[in-house]
Amino acid sequence: FDNSKFVAEEDKSSIDSAITRGMKVSNYFELCLLKTKKGECTNISETTVGLKVCMEIPADYLSNGRTFYIVRSHVADDGGRQVVILNDEDNDPNTITFTTDKFSAYALAYQGGETTSLSQIVMIVLVIAVATLALIIALVFGRTIAGRRRVRR
């Protein structure tokens, strides 16, 4: 559900400034509520009652010990941005559930439970492979030089 390219940079900055120490944003998204009447769509930015939203957390972000949050950036009537951190309302580790009455820019954020990404694993394997190859070359080269020294004597 990452549609970061559609989220305004001001909203991203507001969210980034509001998150607490140790919290990381995994992705940004717009949450929209549309009202359709007689074929005409109207964007609803705020409701009088909160609506419960439940979203599946992408598998790439799941990790033991990780706590997820929703961070909302909403433009207030005075033009300023109101940023709120919303806690997960359920106990399912694969979803994030929250209640909101505002529909605007959001972010999925988390704290703790660091995982190693696939690119980090590939990099570690590459480093080990290069180090092993360098060691083999050094051993072969060292034996070749030692063998030449013995022949010269």
Side-chain angles (χ1 to χ4, degrees):
F1 58 84
D2 184 16
N3 66 357
S4 297
K5 63 184 175 187
F6 300 109
V7 176
E9 290 302 318
E10 296 86 359
D11 287 314
K12 290 178 186 176
S13 294
S14 296
I15 289 169
D16 291 343
S17 297
I19 61 174
T20 60
R21 190 173 199 198
M23 193 180 283
K24 295 180 182 176
V25 171
S26 62
N27 54 20
Y28 303 90
F29 60 96
E30 286 284 335
L31 186 59
C32 301
L33 182 63
L34 300 174
K35 174 183 162 184
T36 304
K37 186 175 182 180
K38 296 182 181 179
E40 188 174 317
C41 285
T42 306
N43 188 25
I44 308 289
S45 63
E46 206 166 319
T47 59
T48 55
V49 295
L51 300 176
K52 190 167 281 214
V53 179
C54 181
M55 299 170 17
E56 191 170 322
I57 297 170
D60 294 351
Y61 300 119
L62 294 174
S63 174
N64 287 335
R66 195 170 268 184
T67 303
F68 288 92
Y69 303 90
I70 291 292
V71 186
R72 178 184 69 211
S73 174
H74 188 76
V75 178
D77 292 337
D78 65 3
R81 282 188 166 65
Q82 298 172 335
V83 181
V84 178
I85 298 174
L86 305 169
N87 292 317
D88 191 357
E89 296 175 4
D90 70 13
N91 293 321
D92 183 346
N94 298 315
T95 66
I96 179 99
T97 302
F98 60 98
T99 302
T100 187
D101 60 349
K102 295 175 177 45
F103 300 89
S104 49
Y106 285 77
L108 175 64
Y110 63 89
Q111 201 165 23
E114 297 305 314
T115 60
T116 305
S117 70
L118 182 59
S119 61
Q120 290 172 317
I121 292 169
V122 169
M123 186 59 72
I124 290 167
V125 169
L126 265 170
V127 167
I128 291 170
V130 169
T132 303
L133 184 61
L135 181 60
I136 292 169
I137 292 171
L139 288 172
V140 169
F141 187 68
R143 286 186 178 188
T144 304
I145 291 176
R148 286 185 184 166
R149 286 185 184 159
R150 281 189 212 130
V151 171
R152 288 184 186 166
R153 289 184 188 176

